[in-house]
Amino acid sequence: MTHKVTLIPGDGIGPEVTEATKRVLEATGIAFRWDLAYAGADVQDEFGTPLPAYVFESIRKNKVALKGPVTTPVGSGFRSVNVALRKGLDLYACLRPCKTYPGAPTLYKDVDIVVVRENTEDLYSGIEFEEGTPEAARLIELLLETKGEVVRKDSGFSIKSISDSCSRRIVRFAFDYARAHQRKKVTAVHKANIMKFSDGLFLAVAREVAKEYPDIEFEDRLVDNMTMQLVKRAQQFDVIVAPNLYGDIISDLCAGLVGGLGLAPGANLGDDMAVFEPTHGSAPKYAGKNKVNPMAMMLSGVMVLNHLGETEAADRLEKAIAEVIAEGKNVTYDMKTNIPNAQLVGTSQVADAVIEKLEKSSNT
Ligand code: NAD
């Protein structure tokens, strides 16, 4: 069977890691028909938007996409393509597995954490009031009138909204995932002692949902304590569920525990659509240099195969990547730290090495 998948190369380092991943996916022997769709800074001039409508149409049609990173200008310029895709397609669950592979440049062993991040609300809802605007002034008046709070007139605002319904579906997603993947514990992360009506709601819902899953252990942690505990003893965590912002930060922290962003894959999942992408961004300073690690994108490709039901090919590809990491001979600059005499290779040479492993495994 040929799988139709939307392929979004993205910008910055995106096209290079996407090409490397496309090659290893095809080398598994699984047949793909790639529906190429372009988004990001590079298409802004041509389409007048960094996210043309046909990208949405392609994903809605194919239901599965593999996406490279896309740059979001800081402070000004267009809004995040990534946030727009997640919101537009209601890809409410962001799944980011972080697992140590032997040979990876990390001090940690046996970490195997899955971060489940709420993807549609919280401080990422995009509701903002710019400092000095009439809207910001009205909000300041409203806060004085309704709460008796005096807020500085030169303030800007980003709204943090957390709903019962979105909290409920993400916590359920985390428990269902835990059950389906034989995981034992879910940890909810929050700051409910300070933000009682947003994080407090998330925590209350999480506690309620946890009662529906008596077979899975449940605990919660304040986000500050959580970051410290992850660094001290990451192995105690299994599935972590968090609102959008904490989930984003914690998943980068977890990527650091397992060897860096070059090894951290991810998926954005809705009820009937899925967009797979690495946790890392477009690293513009390395764009076009054949330098960065394509393994995070390749491991996102492993997730695509599993999602398509091609579990045998997924296992073979993951094993081939793990072998290249363990061997440490054909790895990129970011993998070198702990591996004596490792030679530095470029993005496409990593793909060559993974393909060689795949070919060897099919000949034995
Ligand atoms: P980044 O992840 O692009 O890069 C941070 C650093 O991590 C890089 O300088 C590099 O040293 C390292 N790194 C990242 N990916 C790597 C790889 N594959 N191999 C080796 N090293 C790697 O983060 P940033 O610099 O904060 O963001 C750059 C741009 O990417 C921003 O515009 C940001 O908005 C965007 N971004 C996009 C996504 C996405 O498309 N999903 C995610 C995060 C950031």
Side-chain angles (χ1 to χ4, degrees):
M1 172 188 180
T2 301
H3 297 285
K4 280 188 222 150
V5 175
T6 300
L7 189 65
I8 306 169
D11 56 29
I13 57 169
E16 295 156 65
V17 293
T18 303
E19 177 58 24
T21 302
K22 180 171 166 276
R23 285 177 57 213
V24 299
L25 281 170
E26 287 171 352
T28 62
I30 301 298
F32 290 95
R33 199 156 92 218
W34 304 108
D35 197 1
L36 266 168
Y38 295 96
D42 302 345
V43 301
Q44 165 82 19
D45 288 345
E46 191 184 338
F47 290 89
T49 164
L51 186 54
Y54 84 92
V55 179
F56 280 104
E57 282 156 26
S58 171
I59 302 172
R60 285 201 181 97
K61 189 178 70 194
N62 296 321
K63 310 281 182 215
V64 187
L66 179 62
K67 173 185 164 295
V70 174
T71 305
T72 309
V74 174
S76 58
F78 60 78
R79 283 190 175 278
S80 167
V81 163
N82 309 304
V83 173
L85 264 181
R86 292 166 197 164
K87 279 184 83 174
L89 299 172
D90 200 21
L91 303 171
Y92 61 86
C94 178
L95 192 68
R96 289 179 166 173
C98 292
K99 170 163 139 185
T100 38
Y101 290 96
T106 170
L107 300 173
Y108 296 81
K109 273 200 189 121
D110 304 325
V111 175
D112 185 6
I113 294 172
V114 176
V115 180
V116 176
R117 163 189 174 193
E118 204 288 327
N119 232 358
T120 61
E121 53 178 14
D122 192 2
L123 277 162
Y124 284 70
S125 56
I127 308 166
E128 299 202 291
F129 295 82
E130 193 177 352
E131 182 247 313
T133 58
E135 293 80 14
R138 275 180 68 189
L139 185 59
I140 291 168
E141 271 168 36
L142 183 74
L143 290 170
L144 184 62
E145 255 172 60
T146 56
K147 293 274 170 191
E149 293 288 348
V150 179
V151 177
R152 286 178 189 273
K153 288 197 167 29
D154 56 351
S155 300
F157 300 84
S158 302
I159 299 295
K160 173 174 170 118
S161 63
I162 288 198
S163 66
D164 181 307
S165 49
C166 288
S167 302
R168 205 167 285 279
R169 70 178 176 175
I170 198 66
V171 177
R172 282 219 171 98
F173 180 97
F175 274 99
D176 287 340
Y177 180 91
R179 225 177 229 174
H181 294 85
Q182 293 78 46
R183 290 189 172 255
K184 296 189 165 43
K185 186 167 77 171
V186 172
T187 306
V189 180
H190 60 88
K191 189 79 182 171
N193 53 339
I194 306 295
M195 285 162 276
K196 297 185 193 301
F197 298 145
S198 48
D199 286 19
L201 177 60
F202 178 81
L203 177 60
V205 167
R207 285 182 173 150
E208 214 179 292
V209 171
K211 292 193 186 123
E212 298 166 21
Y213 299 82
D215 49 320
I216 314 257
E217 191 190 335
F218 173 73
E219 62 179 14
D220 70 277
R221 292 274 195 287
L222 291 170
V223 63
D224 38 356
N225 177 29
M226 183 72 185
T227 50
M228 184 276 293
Q229 293 209 14
L230 273 166
V231 172
K232 267 200 102 175
R233 201 161 63 83
Q235 295 80 359
Q236 68 180 298
F237 297 108
D238 191 350
V239 175
I240 295 171
V241 63
N244 211 335
L245 179 63
Y246 308 145
D248 193 13
I249 296 167
I250 282 173
S251 52
D252 264 42
L253 193 162
C254 289
L257 298 177
V258 300
L261 284 169
L263 289 172
N268 301 288
L269 305 167
D271 284 333
D272 66 344
M273 271 177 279
V275 176
F276 296 84
E277 62 177 349
T279 294
H280 65 73
S282 58
K285 69 178 173 190
Y286 293 128
K289 297 205 162 102
N290 190 38
K291 182 165 171 83
V292 296
N293 193 348
M295 286 175 170
M297 185 81 173
M298 290 179 179
L299 291 166
S300 306
V302 169
M303 295 174 81
V304 170
L305 288 169
N306 275 317
H307 181 81
L308 295 171
E310 302 287 2
T311 51
E312 184 273 330
D315 291 347
R316 261 192 300 126
L317 178 54
E318 187 179 11
K319 187 165 166 277
I321 297 167
E323 281 172 12
V324 172
I325 297 172
E327 226 172 62
K329 275 203 290 190
N330 292 291
V331 290
T332 44
Y333 78 99
D334 55 309
M335 301 285 284
K336 203 168 182 284
T337 340
N338 287 351
I339 306 168
N341 308 320
Q343 88 194 64
L344 284 183
V345 300
T347 311
S348 60
Q349 287 73 37
V350 175
D352 296 341
V354 172
I355 292 169
E356 204 180 302
K357 296 285 178 205
L358 279 168
E359 283 168 355
K360 268 199 191 129
S361 74
S362 64
N363 292 335
T364 50

